[in-house]
Each structure stands twice: as structure tokens, then as C-alpha cells.
Amino acid sequence: EMQLVESGGGLAQPGGSLRLSCAASGFTFNNYAMSWLRQAPGKGFEWVASIDSGGGLQSYSDAVKGRFTISRDNAKNMLYLSMNSLKSEDAAVYYCATGYGALAIGGVRGQGTQVTVSS
């Protein structure tokens, strides 16, 4: 059974940083492109960033480009999202998911981790 477990969310101040992690199990992680999605209260899923199976290609939404970095460690079956210069509009539940780009919205995803940005 494919399983994704996110961690690392919490409270950050505007301008602050957080690093999210996603532990993958139950599938051959290095065969899959992976993404981060987010969902703010009352809104649908929003694609944030993607990385290809080998880690050499990354893509970002315009909302986070230049502030967030997606990375992976295939030896550890781990996916990461480093978030810098956080803004109030980044507050959401963040999910890791299989797939690249907007297609990841229909992929397998974890239970999510809450990110709150507030002073």
C-alpha cells in the first residue's frame, strides 16, 4: 500500500522559514515524480512544486517561485519542501503527492501538515 506521511508543519512568523518532510513507503519511490500541494481553508487544492523521479528537474508555481525549494533523497525515500520568506497567504495544509505538476492533484497524497503564518 502506497503511504505518504508529512511532517514539519507549524507556526512561523511572516518572513520566517519552515522545512516540510514527507516519508514514502509501500512503493518504489525513485520511480515516481513527486509534488507538494496545499489547501487553504475553504479553497481547493493548489499545486505548489514538483520534482522528477531523479531529482534533476523541479517546477514551481508563480506564487512560491524563488522562496520555496523542493528536493528529495531517494536513498531515504524522503521528499522535502524548504519554505523561506513565508507570507500570510502561504498558510494552508500542505500535502505531498505522487505525480508532476497539476496532475499531482489526482495522485496519491498523505494526510497533510498544517502551516500557519502569523505574527
Side-chain angles (χ1 to χ4, degrees), residues 17-90:
S17 300
L18 283 174
R19 190 191 193 208
L20 306 184
S21 299
C22 171
S25 61
F27 64 105
T28 305
F29 181 68
N30 60 12
N31 283 351
Y32 285 77
M34 297 294 296
S35 295
W36 287 96
L37 311 173
R38 67 187 182 186
Q39 188 175 33
K43 296 187 176 181
F45 284 101
E46 176 189 5
W47 170 71
V48 174
S50 295
I51 189 167
D52 72 346
S53 58
L57 179 66
Q58 303 92 38
S59 297
Y60 300 91
S61 70
D62 288 343
V64 307
K65 194 175 298 181
R67 300 188 297 120
F68 291 10
T69 302
I70 187 171
S71 60
R72 66 191 296 161
D73 185 337
N74 283 343
K76 296 181 178 179
N77 288 356
M78 294 292 295
L79 179 72
Y80 305 101
L81 186 69
S82 295
M83 306 186 294
N84 298 316
S85 302
L86 283 163
K87 304 176 181 180
S88 58
E89 53 262 44
D90 294 321

